[in-house]
Structures are given as structure tokens and as C-alpha cells.
């Protein structure tokens, strides 16, 4: 499992309140202890979808069975997926509006096939249609822009979480810890006026940190119709998405205001990020 990355090094003032992480459900007992004691995490912001939660629950069930039959292994966490005494905020960044925006780009035939697969509980197979025909052509940068436009409600909820001081220190994660998590971290860093090159350096660090276990993750992305490029961090991701925000919404503050994040909430988030 990839270690959490403290993003404080890209801020103008020293602090340790936000960790960028990939899926922590398979963390060892020691790693879970570190999150609570070493990093003193108070809450976890989980950006994964329902499908990812279902798949992770199935995976965890299999791991728990192995751990039960081999109690000597300290690296296999025979424990609940959620870490006890940790506050969880589950907000699927790419929610219903985002999904609908992608689904309506399918042909009628593919749309009908997707609906049938979803109705018959073949969720992964259904998503693979969307992956091959829409997500793959859009690419990570295109999907990042789509998230800006079609995940507005979810980003509003995320900002409410980030505005609550009691949630800090906080850990933000998705499955790989680079795309959805990277986008959310980028938005927060833009809000506190962080230079783009510093934000990009932090974003690109995820690709290097994800090299261990790359083969197993490639199997996972292939299952949902995506190619190896979805394991990478596009070098121009931050520049392209931030330019899109400025071009479409004027500035980051204008974007947040346009989606319903009040000035007061923005100010509270800034205070939490820079003063904790």
C-alpha cells in the first residue's frame, strides 16, 4: 500500500493537515495505527463510487478469510474495512450528474446494453462499456474538466467538509489517489494561491509512488475498459484543468461561487488549510 503523502510542502506556511492517499482499506494493522497515532488523522474523505465500494468489500472479505486462516500474518488486516474511531465522509466525486453526462454520449445500442447489464447486477461489465466508448477517448484531462462541470454538488459537499475544523487532520483518497484525489487537492491548492508548478509537482509525485503494484492496477483498469494511460499522471493535467477553470469561470473563487460555495465557506477552508 502506498504511504500517505503530506501535501504541506506546497503551501506557503508549514502545516500537516491533509494527506493524499490511495485506497486505505487494505492497510496493514501497523499502517492503520500510523494513521491514528503518527499522523493523528481525525477524518477520512473517501471519493470512491458505489461500484468501487462493492468491489473493495468483496476483496476485503476474501482477505479477511485468508487472515482468519493465517493469524500469524501481521500484514493482513483481519479487521473491519473502516478504521475504528475515525470519522468517514463518503462523497463519490463523480456522482449521478457526472455519470449521466457520460452515459448520454453512448450510442443507443450501447446505452441499452449498459442498462441491461446494470439491471442484472453486472456493474463492472456495464462500466466497461462507458470506459471503452467515453472515458478512454476523453482521457484523464478531459475527465478532469468534466468533473469540474458535472461534479459541482459533490465539490460543494467536499468544501463543507473542508470548512469544518473538527475534521482536521484529514486524509483524502480515492482508489489510486491521483485522479479524483489529485483534482480535489489541486482545487484546494489553487484556493490558497499556490503556484501552478508546485501543484503540478505534487500531482506528478503520485505516478512514481504508484509504481509498486502497477500490474495489479492495470488489470483493474482494463476490466473497466481503460488502458494503461489511466495509470499515469499527464504532465499537463494541472495546467490544462486550471486554465479551463479560469477560462470558463474566471478564477478559482469564481468557480466555487458559481457552484454554491459561499465566500464564508471559502474563507473557512483557507483558514483551516493555512492556520492549522
Amino acid at each position: 500500500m502506498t504511504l500517505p503523502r503530506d501535501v504541506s510542502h506546497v503551501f506557503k506556511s508549514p502545516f500537516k493537515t491533509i494527506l493524499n492517499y490511495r485506497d486505505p482499506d487494505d492497510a496493514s494493522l501497523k499502517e492503520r495505527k500510523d494513521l491514528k497515532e503518527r499522523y493523528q488523522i481525525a477524518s477520512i474523505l473517501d471519493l470512491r463510487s458505489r461500484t468501487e465500494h462493492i468491489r473493495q468489500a468483496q476483496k476485503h472479505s476474501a482477505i479477511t478469510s485468508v487472515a482468519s486462516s493465517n493469524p500469524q500474518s501481521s500484514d493482513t488486516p483481519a479487521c473491519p474495512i473502516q478504521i475504528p474511531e475515525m470519522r468517514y465522509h463518503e462523497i463519490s466525486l463523480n456522482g449521478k450528474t457526472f455519470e449521466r453526462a457520460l452515459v448520454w454520449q453512448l450510442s443507443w445500442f450501447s446505452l441499452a446494453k449498459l442498462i441491461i447489464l446494470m439491471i442484472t447486477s453486472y456493474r463492472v461489465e456495464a462500466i466497461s462499456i462507458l470506459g471503452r466508448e467515453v472515458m478512454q477517448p476523453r482521457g484523464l484531462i478531459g475527465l478532469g474538466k468534466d468533473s469540474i462541470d458535472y461534479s459541482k454538488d459533490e465539490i460543494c459537499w467536499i468544501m463543507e467538509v473542508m470548512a469544518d475544523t473538527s475534521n482536521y487532520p484529514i486524509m483524502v483518497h480515492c482508489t489510486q489517489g491521483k485522479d479524483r484525489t489529485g483534482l480535489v487537492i489541486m482545487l484546494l491548492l489553487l484556493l490558497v494561491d499556490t503556484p501552478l508548478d508546485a501543484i503540478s509537482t505534487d500531482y506528478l509525485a503520485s505516478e512514481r509512488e504508484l509504481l509498486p503494484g502497477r500490474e495489479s492496477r492495470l488489470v483493474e483498469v482494463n476490466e473497466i475498459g481503460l488502458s494503461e494511460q489511466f495509470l499515469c499522471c499527464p504532465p499537463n493535467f494541472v495546467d490544462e484543468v486550471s486554465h479551463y477553470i479560469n477560462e470558463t469561470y474566471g478564477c478559482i473563487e469564481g468557480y466555487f461561487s458559481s457552484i454554491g460555495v459561499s465566500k464564508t465557506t471559502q474563507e473557512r477552508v483557507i483558514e483551516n488549510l493555512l492556520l492549522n
Side-chain angles (χ1 to χ4, degrees):
M1 183 192 66
T2 305
L3 293 175
R5 185 173 74 252
D6 180 9
V7 300
S8 64
H9 65 282
V10 296
F11 282 85
K12 295 178 180 179
S13 58
F15 80 116
K16 288 191 176 181
T17 50
I18 301 181
L19 295 181
N20 181 346
Y21 212 57
R22 75 175 297 260
D23 177 9
D25 291 348
D26 58 353
S28 69
L29 296 177
K30 180 183 181 303
E31 288 165 334
R32 288 169 175 244
K33 183 178 180 181
D34 281 346
L35 289 177
K36 294 177 66 174
E37 298 181 5
R38 177 183 174 187
Y39 297 102
Q40 298 184 325
I41 296 299
S43 62
I44 292 178
L45 175 56
D46 184 343
L47 305 175
R48 294 174 299 175
S49 67
R50 181 188 172 197
T51 298
E52 288 170 299
H53 279 288
I54 291 172
R55 293 185 69 186
Q56 187 59 29
Q58 294 169 342
K59 176 182 174 182
H60 186 79
S61 177
I63 292 175
T64 301
S65 297
V66 172
S68 299
S69 62
N70 184 19
Q72 301 302 316
S73 174
S74 60
D75 291 329
T76 306
C79 49
I81 289 182
Q82 293 195 345
I83 301 171
E85 301 176 9
M86 195 81 76
R87 186 182 306 131
Y88 279 77
H89 304 280
E90 295 183 353
I91 302 175
S92 175
L93 179 62
N94 298 142
K96 296 298 183 184
T97 302
F98 179 91
E99 291 175 356
R100 283 195 294 268
L102 298 191
V103 164
W104 286 116
Q105 297 180 48
L106 292 170
S107 66
W108 287 110
F109 175 78
S110 295
L111 177 59
K113 187 175 179 180
L114 180 144
I115 292 172
I116 292 171
L117 287 170
M118 291 294 286
I119 291 174
T120 53
S121 298
Y122 287 95
R123 295 182 63 86
V124 174
E125 291 80 0
I127 292 172
S128 70
I129 295 175
L130 204 58
R132 286 191 304 273
E133 299 187 20
V134 181
M135 297 173 69
Q136 181 68 38
R138 289 292 290 155
L140 288 169
I141 293 175
L143 292 172
K145 295 176 182 178
D146 291 339
S147 295
I148 294 297
D149 288 336
Y150 300 117
S151 298
K152 295 178 178 180
D153 288 343
E154 291 78 10
I155 291 173
C156 276
W157 299 334
I158 288 168
M159 289 294 284
E160 290 297 328
V161 171
M162 302 305 296
D164 186 344
T165 305
S166 68
N167 286 323
Y168 291 79
I170 188 168
M171 183 177 78
V172 184
H173 82 90
C174 49
T175 293
Q176 295 198 67
K178 70 176 184 70
D179 301 320
R180 288 162 294 182
T181 301
L183 181 66
V184 169
I185 296 296
M186 184 194 78
L187 293 176
L188 296 172
L189 293 176
L190 287 173
L191 185 61
V192 294
D193 199 26
T194 307
L196 286 182
D197 58 347
I199 302 175
S200 185
T201 296
D202 178 73
Y203 169 73
L204 294 174
S206 294
E207 183 170 342
R208 180 182 65 255
E209 294 170 355
L210 286 168
L211 286 176
R214 184 181 177 89
E215 290 185 5
S216 62
R217 283 192 291 277
L218 180 57
V219 172
E220 292 175 0
V221 299
N222 287 164
E223 284 179 351
I224 57 173
L226 303 176
S227 71
E228 189 173 4
Q229 79 175 68
F230 278 76
L231 297 181
C232 302
C233 294
N236 55 338
F237 180 89
V238 170
D239 287 338
E240 290 281 350
V241 177
S242 62
H243 176 74
Y244 179 76
I245 292 171
N246 291 336
E247 186 179 58
T248 308
Y249 301 93
C251 59
I252 187 63
E253 294 86 358
Y255 170 69
F256 282 131
S257 296
S258 74
I259 66 174
V261 180
S262 69
K263 190 68 176 177
T264 299
T265 297
Q266 293 181 49
E267 290 172 352
R268 287 205 309 268
V269 172
I270 293 172
E271 290 174 2
N272 285 335
L273 296 179
L274 296 183
L275 300 181
N276 267 323

